[in-house]
Amino acid sequence: MNIVFMGTPDFSVPCLKAIINAGHNVSAVFTQPDKPKNRGHKMQMTPVKECALENGIEVYQPLSLRKGEDGEKSLEILQKLSPDCIVVVAYGQMLPKSVLDIPKYGCINVHASLLPRYRGAAPIQRCIMEGEKVTGVTTMYMAEGLDTGDMILKEEIPITDTMTGTMLHDKLSEMGARLICETLSLLEKGTAPRTPQTDDNTCYAAMLKKEDCRIDFSKPANTVYDRIRGLSDAPCAFTFLEGKRLKVYFAEKLDVDTDKPCGTVIKGEGLCVACGDKKALRLTDIMPEGGKRMKDSDFLRGRKVEEGAVLGEEPAANK
């Protein structure tokens, strides 16, 4: 099958590799433009671009598929390539109808949730943040709406109580690679199912913003715990300690009751903090501002944090 692949981040790469290894002809890759990264602002290729170049595949990086000169040029390129199928995995752009109508088998999306649950940009992190116990991957025919197309295949995975966003990301990425190959095989045979989505029991996984990552210790301990692990390792939950940002990668639920105000450091082994339901968490994996990731025990050996200190107060300069 002649495939055009559209994707950008690490999540997309196993799908691209699997399609290549399955013997399909990937005639082109579309990915987001290179961006400056880190303090040196050196231009960084997307992971999908790196994979494509390693495999000798032509790469296109339009700013938009929907409008302007870039959109017109992209449409012309796609029409000349005449793909049997366009596979889209975390591309980061909406496809216009003019593009959706090009391939004879349609545009097929790999989405990291069990649709219609968690449509949108951040399904992996948000399903953990919301305390879900199961998620998965859905392949679907793309439509003009956001993740609203008819579904083809689904596969589930349990979310364990200690699973982080990064762990789930990696599992779903590999699952997506397997599922897209199964989907393409069914499309070629003419036996791919087509199940319309309903709006029952749906929810939206909005793109993560900075404030989504700030820990609110007034929430119940379970809610805070799920937010911390859902955001780990990136973009990472954070709070403030003595006016300095403190990233929190993981926590441990404590079987204690406390009458201390939420956000207060309480007596215990490690960096233990009261939450809004009178329960507490131990912030086990942290990164102090200007420092490196470490265990809370190592942090406390080098810095004394008094019992009764309050986490969460943002420095005045940041307000």
Side-chain angles (χ1 to χ4, degrees), residues 19-66:
I19 291 169
I20 295 169
N21 292 337
H24 295 288
N25 173 46
V26 181
S27 54
V29 159
F30 280 67
T31 189
Q32 293 283 64
D34 298 346
K35 292 183 179 179
K37 193 172 183 182
N38 300 326
R39 292 180 181 178
H41 298 291
K42 183 179 179 180
M43 295 302 287
Q44 181 83 27
M45 289 190 292
T46 72
V48 163
K49 180 178 179 178
E50 288 186 30
C51 180
L53 294 178
E54 287 170 2
N55 286 276
I57 301 170
E58 189 76 24
V59 176
Y60 299 96
Q61 297 178 275
L63 290 172
S64 174
L65 294 178
R66 300 177 66 86

Coordinates of all heavy atoms in Angstrom, one line a residue, residues 19-66:
I19 N 4.9 0.4 10.1 CA 4.4 0.5 8.7 C 5.5 0.2 7.7 O 5.3 -0.6 6.8 CB 3.7 1.9 8.5 CG1 2.5 2.0 9.3 CG2 3.4 2.0 7.0 CD1 1.9 3.4 9.4
I20 N 6.7 0.7 8.0 CA 7.8 0.4 7.1 C 8.2 -1.0 7.1 O 8.3 -1.7 6.1 CB 9.0 1.3 7.5 CG1 8.7 2.8 7.3 CG2 10.3 0.9 6.7 CD1 9.8 3.7 7.9
N21 N 8.2 -1.6 8.3 CA 8.6 -3.0 8.5 C 7.6 -4.0 7.9 O 7.9 -5.1 7.6 CB 8.9 -3.3 10.0 CG 10.1 -2.6 10.5 OD1 11.0 -2.2 9.7 ND2 10.2 -2.4 11.8
A22 N 6.3 -3.5 7.9 CA 5.3 -4.4 7.3 C 5.3 -4.4 5.8 O 4.6 -5.2 5.2 CB 3.9 -3.9 7.8
G23 N 6.2 -3.6 5.2 CA 6.4 -3.7 3.7 C 5.6 -2.7 2.9 O 5.7 -2.7 1.7
H24 N 5.0 -1.8 3.6 CA 4.3 -0.7 2.9 C 5.2 0.3 2.3 O 6.3 0.5 2.9 CB 3.3 0.0 3.8 CG 2.2 -0.9 4.3 ND1 1.1 -1.4 3.5 CD2 1.9 -1.5 5.5 CE1 0.3 -2.2 4.2 NE2 0.8 -2.2 5.4
N25 N 4.9 1.0 1.3 CA 5.7 2.0 0.7 C 5.3 3.4 1.3 O 4.2 3.9 1.0 CB 5.5 2.1 -0.8 CG 6.2 3.3 -1.4 OD1 7.4 3.6 -1.1 ND2 5.5 4.0 -2.3
V26 N 6.1 3.9 2.2 CA 5.8 5.2 2.8 C 6.5 6.2 1.8 O 7.7 6.5 1.8 CB 6.4 5.3 4.2 CG1 6.1 6.7 4.8 CG2 5.8 4.2 5.1
S27 N 5.6 6.9 1.0 CA 6.2 7.7 -0.1 C 6.5 9.1 0.4 O 7.3 9.8 -0.2 CB 5.1 7.9 -1.2 OG 3.9 8.3 -0.7
A28 N 6.0 9.5 1.6 CA 6.3 10.8 2.2 C 5.9 10.9 3.6 O 5.0 10.1 4.1 CB 5.7 11.9 1.4
V29 N 6.5 11.7 4.4 CA 6.2 12.0 5.8 C 5.9 13.5 5.9 O 6.7 14.3 5.4 CB 7.3 11.6 6.7 CG1 7.2 12.3 8.1 CG2 7.3 10.1 6.9
F30 N 4.8 13.8 6.6 CA 4.5 15.2 6.9 C 4.6 15.3 8.4 O 4.1 14.5 9.2 CB 3.1 15.6 6.5 CG 2.9 15.9 5.1 CD1 3.1 15.0 4.1 CD2 2.6 17.2 4.7 CE1 3.0 15.3 2.7 CE2 2.5 17.6 3.3 CZ 2.7 16.6 2.3
T31 N 5.4 16.3 8.9 CA 5.6 16.5 10.3 C 5.6 18.0 10.6 O 5.7 18.8 9.7 CB 6.9 15.8 10.8 OG1 7.0 15.8 12.2 CG2 8.1 16.5 10.2
Q32 N 5.6 18.4 11.9 CA 5.6 19.8 12.2 C 7.0 20.4 12.0 O 8.0 19.7 12.0 CB 5.3 20.0 13.7 CG 3.8 19.6 14.1 CD 2.8 20.6 13.7 OE1 2.7 20.9 12.5 NE2 2.2 21.2 14.7
P33 N 7.0 21.7 11.8 CA 8.3 22.4 11.5 C 9.3 22.2 12.7 O 8.9 22.0 13.8 CB 8.0 23.9 11.4 CG 6.5 23.8 10.9 CD 5.9 22.7 11.7
D34 N 10.6 22.2 12.4 CA 11.6 22.2 13.4 C 11.5 23.4 14.3 O 11.1 24.4 13.9 CB 13.0 22.2 12.8 CG 13.3 21.0 11.9 OD1 12.5 20.0 11.9 OD2 14.3 21.0 11.1
K35 N 11.8 23.2 15.6 CA 11.7 24.2 16.6 C 13.0 24.4 17.4 O 13.8 23.4 17.6 CB 10.6 23.9 17.6 CG 9.2 24.0 16.9 CD 8.1 23.8 18.0 CE 6.7 23.9 17.3 NZ 5.7 23.6 18.3
P36 N 13.3 25.6 17.8 CA 14.5 25.8 18.7 C 14.3 25.1 20.0 O 13.2 25.1 20.6 CB 14.6 27.3 18.8 CG 13.3 27.8 18.5 CD 12.6 26.9 17.6
K37 N 15.3 24.6 20.6 CA 15.2 23.8 21.9 C 16.3 24.2 22.8 O 17.5 24.4 22.4 CB 15.2 22.3 21.6 CG 14.8 21.5 22.8 CD 14.6 20.0 22.4 CE 14.1 19.2 23.5 NZ 14.0 17.8 23.2
N38 N 16.0 24.2 24.1 CA 16.9 24.4 25.2 C 17.6 25.8 25.1 O 17.2 26.6 24.3 CB 18.0 23.3 25.2 CG 17.4 21.9 25.4 OD1 16.4 21.8 26.1 ND2 18.0 20.9 24.8
R39 N 18.5 26.0 26.0 CA 19.1 27.3 26.2 C 19.8 27.8 24.9 O 19.8 29.0 24.6 CB 20.0 27.4 27.4 CG 19.3 27.2 28.7 CD 20.3 27.2 29.9 NE 19.6 27.0 31.1 CZ 20.2 27.0 32.3 NH1 21.5 27.1 32.3 NH2 19.5 26.8 33.4
G40 N 20.4 26.9 24.2 CA 21.1 27.3 23.0 C 20.2 27.6 21.8 O 20.7 28.1 20.8
H41 N 19.0 27.3 21.9 CA 18.0 27.5 20.9 C 18.4 26.9 19.5 O 18.1 27.4 18.5 CB 17.7 29.0 20.7 CG 17.2 29.7 21.9 ND1 15.9 29.5 22.3 CD2 17.7 30.6 22.8 CE1 15.7 30.2 23.4 NE2 16.8 30.9 23.7
K42 N 19.1 25.8 19.6 CA 19.4 25.0 18.4 C 18.2 24.4 17.8 O 17.4 23.8 18.6 CB 20.5 24.0 18.8 CG 21.0 23.2 17.6 CD 22.0 22.2 18.0 CE 22.6 21.4 16.8 NZ 23.6 20.4 17.2
M43 N 18.1 24.5 16.5 CA 16.9 23.9 15.9 C 16.9 22.4 16.0 O 17.9 21.7 15.8 CB 16.9 24.3 14.4 CG 16.7 25.8 14.1 SD 15.2 26.5 14.8 CE 14.0 25.8 13.7
Q44 N 15.7 21.9 16.4 CA 15.6 20.4 16.7 C 14.6 19.8 15.8 O 13.5 20.3 15.6 CB 15.1 20.3 18.2 CG 14.9 18.8 18.6 CD 16.2 18.2 19.1 OE1 17.1 19.0 19.6 NE2 16.4 16.9 19.0
M45 N 15.0 18.7 15.1 CA 14.1 18.0 14.3 C 13.1 17.2 15.1 O 13.4 16.8 16.3 CB 14.9 16.9 13.4 CG 15.8 17.5 12.3 SD 16.4 16.2 11.2 CE 17.5 15.4 12.3
T46 N 11.9 17.0 14.6 CA 10.9 16.2 15.3 C 11.4 14.8 15.3 O 12.1 14.3 14.3 CB 9.5 16.3 14.6 OG1 9.5 15.6 13.4 CG2 9.1 17.8 14.4
P47 N 11.0 13.9 16.2 CA 11.4 12.5 16.2 C 10.9 11.8 14.9 O 11.6 10.9 14.4 CB 10.6 12.0 17.5 CG 10.6 13.1 18.4 CD 10.3 14.3 17.5
V48 N 9.7 12.2 14.4 CA 9.3 11.5 13.2 C 10.2 11.9 12.0 O 10.5 11.1 11.1 CB 7.8 11.9 12.9 CG1 7.4 11.6 11.5 CG2 6.9 11.1 13.9
K49 N 10.6 13.1 12.0 CA 11.5 13.6 10.9 C 12.8 12.8 10.9 O 13.3 12.3 9.9 CB 11.8 15.0 11.0 CG 12.7 15.6 9.9 CD 12.9 17.1 10.0 CE 13.9 17.6 8.9 NZ 14.1 19.0 8.9
E50 N 13.4 12.6 12.1 CA 14.6 11.8 12.3 C 14.4 10.4 11.7 O 15.3 9.9 11.0 CB 15.0 11.8 13.7 CG 15.5 13.1 14.3 CD 16.1 13.0 15.7 OE1 16.6 11.9 16.0 OE2 16.0 14.0 16.5
C51 N 13.3 9.8 12.1 CA 13.0 8.4 11.7 C 12.9 8.4 10.2 O 13.4 7.5 9.5 CB 11.8 7.9 12.4 SG 11.3 6.2 11.9
A52 N 12.2 9.3 9.6 CA 11.9 9.4 8.2 C 13.3 9.5 7.4 O 13.5 8.8 6.4 CB 11.0 10.5 7.8
L53 N 14.1 10.4 7.8 CA 15.4 10.6 7.1 C 16.3 9.4 7.2 O 17.0 9.1 6.3 CB 16.1 11.9 7.7 CG 15.4 13.2 7.5 CD1 16.1 14.3 8.1 CD2 15.2 13.5 6.0
E54 N 16.2 8.7 8.4 CA 17.0 7.5 8.6 C 16.6 6.4 7.6 O 17.4 5.5 7.2 CB 16.9 7.0 10.0 CG 17.6 7.8 11.0 CD 17.3 7.4 12.5 OE1 16.4 6.5 12.6 OE2 17.8 8.1 13.4
N55 N 15.3 6.5 7.2 CA 14.8 5.5 6.2 C 14.7 6.0 4.8 O 14.0 5.4 4.0 CB 13.4 5.0 6.7 CG 13.5 4.1 7.9 OD1 13.7 2.9 7.8 ND2 13.4 4.7 9.1
G56 N 15.3 7.2 4.5 CA 15.3 7.7 3.2 C 14.0 8.1 2.6 O 13.7 8.1 1.4
I57 N 13.1 8.6 3.5 CA 11.8 9.1 3.1 C 11.7 10.6 3.0 O 12.3 11.3 3.9 CB 10.7 8.6 4.2 CG1 10.7 7.0 4.3 CG2 9.3 9.0 3.8 CD1 9.9 6.5 5.4
E58 N 11.1 11.1 2.0 CA 10.9 12.5 1.8 C 10.1 13.1 2.9 O 9.1 12.6 3.3 CB 10.2 12.8 0.4 CG 10.2 14.2 0.0 CD 11.5 14.7 -0.5 OE1 12.3 13.9 -1.0 OE2 11.8 15.9 -0.5
V59 N 10.5 14.3 3.4 CA 9.9 14.9 4.6 C 9.4 16.3 4.1 O 10.1 17.1 3.5 CB 10.8 15.1 5.8 CG1 10.2 15.8 6.9 CG2 11.3 13.7 6.2
Y60 N 8.1 16.6 4.5 CA 7.5 17.9 4.3 C 7.1 18.5 5.7 O 6.6 17.7 6.5 CB 6.3 17.8 3.4 CG 6.7 17.3 2.0 CD1 6.5 15.9 1.7 CD2 7.1 18.1 1.0 CE1 6.9 15.4 0.4 CE2 7.5 17.6 -0.2 CZ 7.3 16.3 -0.5 OH 7.7 15.8 -1.8
Q61 N 7.3 19.8 5.9 CA 7.0 20.4 7.1 C 6.2 21.7 7.0 O 6.7 22.8 7.4 CB 8.3 20.7 7.9 CG 9.0 19.4 8.3 CD 10.4 19.7 9.0 OE1 11.4 19.9 8.3 NE2 10.3 19.6 10.3
P62 N 5.0 21.6 6.4 CA 4.2 22.9 6.2 C 3.7 23.4 7.6 O 3.4 22.7 8.5 CB 3.0 22.4 5.4 CG 2.9 20.9 5.8 CD 4.3 20.4 6.0
L63 N 3.6 24.8 7.6 CA 3.1 25.4 8.8 C 1.6 25.1 8.9 O 1.1 25.0 10.1 CB 3.3 26.9 8.7 CG 4.7 27.4 8.9 CD1 4.8 28.9 8.6 CD2 5.2 27.2 10.3
S64 N 0.9 24.9 7.8 CA -0.5 24.6 7.8 C -0.9 23.8 6.6 O -0.4 24.0 5.5 CB -1.3 25.9 7.9 OG -2.7 25.7 7.8
L65 N -1.8 22.9 6.8 CA -2.4 22.2 5.7 C -3.7 22.8 5.3 O -4.3 22.4 4.3 CB -2.7 20.7 6.1 CG -1.5 19.8 6.4 CD1 -2.0 18.4 6.8 CD2 -0.6 19.7 5.2
R66 N -4.2 23.8 6.0 CA -5.6 24.3 5.9 C -5.6 25.6 5.1 O -6.7 26.0 4.6 CB -6.3 24.4 7.2 CG -6.4 23.1 8.0 CD -7.0 23.3 9.3 NE -8.4 23.7 9.2 CZ -9.4 22.9 9.1 NH1 -9.2 21.6 9.1 NH2 -10.6 23.4 9.1

